[in-house]
Amino acid sequence: MNSSFVYSIPTKVYFGENQLQHLGKELRNYGTKVLLVYGGGSIKKNGLYDKIRKEIADSGLELFEYSGIEPNPRHTSVNEGAEICKRENIDVLLAVGGGSVIDATKFIGAGAYYNGDVWDLVTRKAPITHCLPIITILTLAATGSEMNAGGVITNLDTKDKIGMGAACMLPKVSFLDPTVTYSVDRYQTSCGCADIFSHVVEVYFSMDKDLSMLDSFMEGLMKTVIHYAPIAMEHPNDYEARANLMWASSWAINGFINGGKTHAWSCHPMEHELSAYYDMTHGLGLAILIPRWMKYTLNENTVSRFEQYGRNVFDIHNDSDPMVIANKAIHMTSEFFFKTLGLKSNLSELGIDESKFEIMAKKAAQNGTFRAFVPLDAEDIVNIYQLCK
């Protein structure tokens, strides 16, 4: 058993309704010049933008704005944001949005200390040494970026989508108000739930022996998503559903469930290539990939993990054959993504053919084999993409 690890998540979280009254105080802890970073403007439609401006004005802070962050944030947008920080001598960043906005803001904060293209930081050509302090207001439960130090940035010029992180990019404070997510539409709610679920899957499926309580915690997270996702889709103003999904999002990828596991993730590298080439929604890509990856990696060596998953997440207890239980669990995973969440089930429905499969597979495998739950090389990844057609 490998249960040796270091766990430290010093992000301060304000969870629940009416917590924005603390925003000005928290911002002032880090300076007086605030750059508000957000996406396409939905925060103006739901009234959040006006509340934020009022809190900032009442606190005597100087506000600057940078909008238009894309769903798969571009390195060019990050560069522009970093230039604003340098030009205006910004003290603190306020990211208001989902994971894309928060991810971009993290690299904007790091880029403010770098004289060059921020893509150098993303690709590790230059180290991330400092980052402006970041405060987040979450508007979509999905990526968990509000409570971790990582981010994913896309370069459309090179068709690359790369994730990396640095301790200094961890948000100082995050505001999580489930009522803010009431306005999230059915499709984005579905994709967000698929994303949350995927983060747990990537860690849960490991043959490493670790603390059994972490298995129970992960199984509970997955069951939480399975239970509350359809409720949030049918009743978008259901506070209990939105609150459970929002908190599950944070805990699915803040490092707690990792324990002593060190294996690489499988589905995210494959999906990042799909997003880089086709600019698709991240959660949708993961939903299409996960059941096929499960089917591909199920064998006599891994069946015990799938059996545990089937018994403890989907409550399959009516069969004693581990392989039968494993296949039922994979089928029920597909049913959850494609029937319960209503997501498209294959790449062809999105107009994606196999023309890029080989190049995407080589990039996902980084021209080698990544040591994941089941080691995968480029040929394996092509085979999984083929299953997704």
Side-chain angles (χ1 to χ4, degrees):
M1 175 183 288
N2 180 15
S3 57
S4 298
F5 54 87
V6 175
Y7 179 69
S8 175
I9 296 293
T11 299
K12 182 177 183 180
V13 174
Y14 286 91
F15 192 96
E17 250 184 302
N18 303 317
Q19 294 281 24
L20 281 186
Q21 60 184 305
H22 303 288
L23 177 61
K25 174 189 68 177
E26 293 295 348
L27 287 168
R28 288 195 68 86
N29 286 336
Y30 300 100
T32 59
K33 286 190 169 186
V34 181
L35 178 63
L36 169 61
V37 183
Y38 57 101
S42 62
I43 65 170
K44 292 183 177 179
K45 297 176 185 176
N46 63 16
L48 182 59
Y49 175 80
D50 290 335
K51 292 179 182 177
I52 292 168
R53 284 186 61 93
K54 183 179 186 304
E55 290 297 327
I56 290 175
D58 290 349
S59 299
L61 301 166
E62 188 175 1
L63 178 64
F64 300 82
E65 295 187 26
Y66 181 50
S67 63
I69 299 298
E70 306 87 354
N72 288 306
R74 317 287 194 253
H75 82 290
T76 50
S77 298
V78 174
N79 279 326
E80 291 175 11
E83 286 305 312
I84 295 173
C85 293
K86 296 171 187 175
R87 183 173 67 245
E88 304 295 346
N89 294 313
I90 297 298
D91 297 317
V92 55
L93 300 172
L94 177 60
V96 183
S100 296
V101 170
I102 299 173
D103 283 5
T105 303
K106 290 174 180 177
F107 285 96
I108 288 171
Y113 290 94
Y114 181 64
N115 292 320
D117 191 334
V118 173
W119 192 244
D120 294 342
L121 305 179
V122 179
T123 56
R124 297 174 174 83
K125 290 180 180 177
I128 295 176
T129 57
H130 297 86
C131 183
L132 287 171
I134 297 167
I135 292 178
T136 80
I137 300 174
L138 186 65
T139 63
L140 172 65
T143 72
S145 193
E146 68 279 357
M147 206 177 177
N148 67 50
V152 182
I153 303 298
T154 298
N155 185 328
L156 290 183
D157 298 329
T158 61
K159 299 297 183 184
D160 286 314
K161 182 175 179 179
I162 298 176
M164 65 91 64
C168 60
M169 297 197 303
L170 185 73
K172 303 296 184 184
V173 183
S174 286
F175 289 84
L176 278 63
D177 180 353
T179 66
V180 171
T181 65
Y182 287 175
S183 59
V184 176
D185 66 29
R186 187 183 184 94
Y187 173 70
Q188 289 298 336
T189 298
S190 297
C191 290
C193 289
D195 199 3
I196 299 168
F197 197 89
S198 76
H199 295 153
V200 186
V201 164
E202 297 277 30
V203 180
Y204 182 82
F205 282 92
S206 169
M207 300 310 291
D208 295 344
K209 296 297 182 182
D210 208 338
L211 299 171
S212 62
M213 64 81 62
L214 289 176
D215 280 356
S216 298
F217 188 86
M218 286 187 276
E219 290 156 2
L221 283 174
M222 288 187 280
K223 293 185 79 164
T224 294
V225 177
I226 291 167
H227 177 74
Y228 285 108
I231 297 173
M233 290 165 61
E234 293 299 325
H235 307 284
N237 291 6
D238 187 298
Y239 184 88
E240 181 182 353
R242 293 293 193 179
N244 274 279
L245 292 171
M246 181 171 266
W247 202 219
S249 168
S250 299
W251 281 92
I253 192 173
N254 68 6
F256 176 75
I257 64 175
N258 293 5
K261 296 183 179 70
T262 58
H263 73 277
W265 286 17
S266 299
C267 296
H268 277 70
M270 292 188 282
E271 197 291 318
H272 285 171
E273 297 306 322
L274 287 170
S275 292
Y277 279 89
Y278 299 103
D279 200 25
M280 67 189 300
T281 304
H282 181 55
L284 172 59
L286 289 165
I288 292 172
L289 281 163
I290 287 172
R292 282 61 183 242
W293 165 81
M294 286 181 169
K295 194 73 174 176
Y296 192 82
T297 58
L298 174 61
N299 56 48
E300 292 298 328
N301 293 324
T302 63
V303 66
S304 61
R305 199 60 177 160
F306 284 101
E307 180 189 12
Q308 180 178 334
Y309 171 68
R311 290 187 184 279
N312 295 344
V313 176
F314 289 105
D315 299 317
I316 303 171
H317 299 297
N318 60 350
D319 202 302
S320 59
D321 185 329
M323 193 61 76
V324 171
I325 293 173
N327 278 297
K328 283 183 180 178
I330 294 171
H331 175 72
M332 293 179 77
T333 304
S334 295
E335 294 279 295
F336 171 64
F337 286 140
F338 308 134
K339 290 194 175 179
T340 303
L341 297 185
L343 295 171
K344 293 185 184 303
S345 61
N346 57 63
L347 297 176
S348 60
E349 290 182 78
L350 303 173
I352 298 173
D353 59 25
E354 59 187 271
S355 60
K356 300 284 195 306
F357 283 1
E358 287 193 13
I359 187 171
M360 291 191 302
K362 288 178 181 177
K363 290 174 73 173
Q366 297 182 350
N367 295 314
T369 300
F370 56 87
R371 300 296 172 184
F373 172 55
V374 170
L376 301 173
D377 60 19
E379 183 179 354
D380 293 314
I381 295 170
V382 168
N383 291 338
I384 293 171
Y385 283 147
Q386 290 284 357
L387 293 174
C388 297
K389 286 196 303 181

